[in-house]
Amino acid sequence: LLRHFFSIGFWGLVNNAGISTFGETGWLSMEKYEKFADVNLLGSIRTTLAFLPLLRKYKGRIVFMSSIIAYFSLGNGIYSMTKAAIEKFCDALRLEMKKFGVRVCIIQPGNYARSTKIQPPVSAEEIWNELSEEEKAVYNKEYVQERANFFNSILSEGSTNGNEVVDAMVDALTSPAPKARYMVAKLKEKALVFVCALFPTIVMDSVLSYALSK
């Protein structure tokens, strides 16, 4: 298979780099927002633009690592923001590249925190110490601890079968008819995406608010 790829030139590009963190909107600095946008979004765009001439020439494949978090957020809005932006970038690119025979695919993993280690457990103490005085005046340590415990419980439920995501990436690169989107997630995660994508926003907000209050 590799011999076939090399014989036809530059075939596939996988934009897999990504970082994640936890924190409500006002808890995070502007510098952190800029860093996440630079790595998760602009990094993929820079790499894509660099290899686009070769991918057009050899009618190759471009694979982007998104996430079901592109549809909703449960404490990591900064990560959701970058993944939602990647989705829109890919939607535009997929249509534009169709005339060149270049396929653009998106991988949308569910919770694989335990297998990828993209997000380590969060420390309420560290979060509190990094808060501005303005934020400390609004929130208290107990609230921060509750949010940290909630987020860590989600991380602990992550799948350890990271090979499922790798299999989707391989299929996107090698299948004669690759999918535009590969959602690799548990049934309850897919159900949540369905609610967020198709139901009115008030329904989505109610579901997510209930989850956050548990």
Side-chain angles (χ1 to χ4, degrees):
L1 184 59
L2 289 176
R3 188 182 302 113
H4 171 68
F5 281 0
F6 284 121
S7 68
I8 61 173
F10 190 86
W11 170 258
L13 172 65
V14 178
N15 286 299
N16 186 53
I19 54 176
S20 179
T21 194
F22 164 80
E24 297 197 1
T25 302
W27 298 1
L28 305 171
S29 66
M30 191 62 215
E31 289 76 18
K32 187 159 287 187
Y33 277 100
E34 291 172 348
K35 178 181 178 181
F36 271 74
D38 190 53
V39 174
N40 291 2
L41 174 61
L42 300 180
S44 293
I45 295 174
R46 279 193 291 265
T47 307
T48 299
L49 294 178
F51 289 101
L52 207 54
L54 285 172
L55 290 161
R56 283 193 298 246
K57 179 179 179 180
Y58 294 108
K59 302 183 187 301
R61 307 278 174 88
I62 314 176
V63 180
F64 290 85
M65 187 60 62
S66 180
S67 171
I68 63 169
I69 293 297
Y71 294 92
F72 59 89
S73 175
L74 287 172
N76 53 350
I78 191 171
Y79 185 67
S80 301
M81 171 192 75
T82 59
K83 293 305 180 181
I86 278 290
E87 293 268 345
K88 294 302 106 183
F89 176 74
C90 291
D91 284 344
L93 186 65
R94 186 178 60 254
L95 293 175
E96 294 166 2
M97 290 299 104
K98 190 174 182 180
K99 57 182 170 287
F100 299 107
V102 177
R103 302 294 188 93
V104 178
C105 306
I106 303 172
I107 311 297
Q108 300 172 315
N111 184 0
Y112 283 87
R114 291 172 63 196
S115 58
T116 64
K117 302 295 189 297
I118 188 174
Q119 173 66 66
V122 299
S123 165
E125 188 68 24
E126 290 181 5
I127 294 170
W128 179 258
N129 291 337
E130 292 179 1
L131 291 184
S132 66
E133 292 304 316
E134 290 82 0
E135 293 301 308
K136 287 181 179 179
V138 175
Y139 299 95
N140 55 49
K141 284 188 176 181
E142 289 74 19
Y143 179 82
V144 174
Q145 185 66 65
E146 288 175 1
R147 292 298 89 209
N149 291 344
F150 170 78
F151 194 67
N152 285 333
S153 70
I154 293 178
L155 295 178
S156 68
E157 296 174 358
S159 174
T160 58
N161 298 323
N163 60 291
E164 297 169 346
V165 179
V166 175
D167 289 345
M169 294 165 67
V170 172
D171 190 80
L173 287 170
T174 62
S175 172
K179 301 176 183 178
R181 283 177 169 82
Y182 292 79
M183 187 173 292
V184 190
K186 298 175 183 177
L187 182 59
K188 66 178 182 180
E189 292 172 331
K190 292 180 178 179
L192 184 54
V193 170
F194 179 81
V195 170
C196 292
L198 299 180
F199 280 66
T201 300
I202 190 173
V203 175
M204 176 189 74
D205 287 352
S206 297
V207 171
L208 296 178
S209 295
Y210 172 76
L212 287 167
S213 67
K214 292 179 66 176

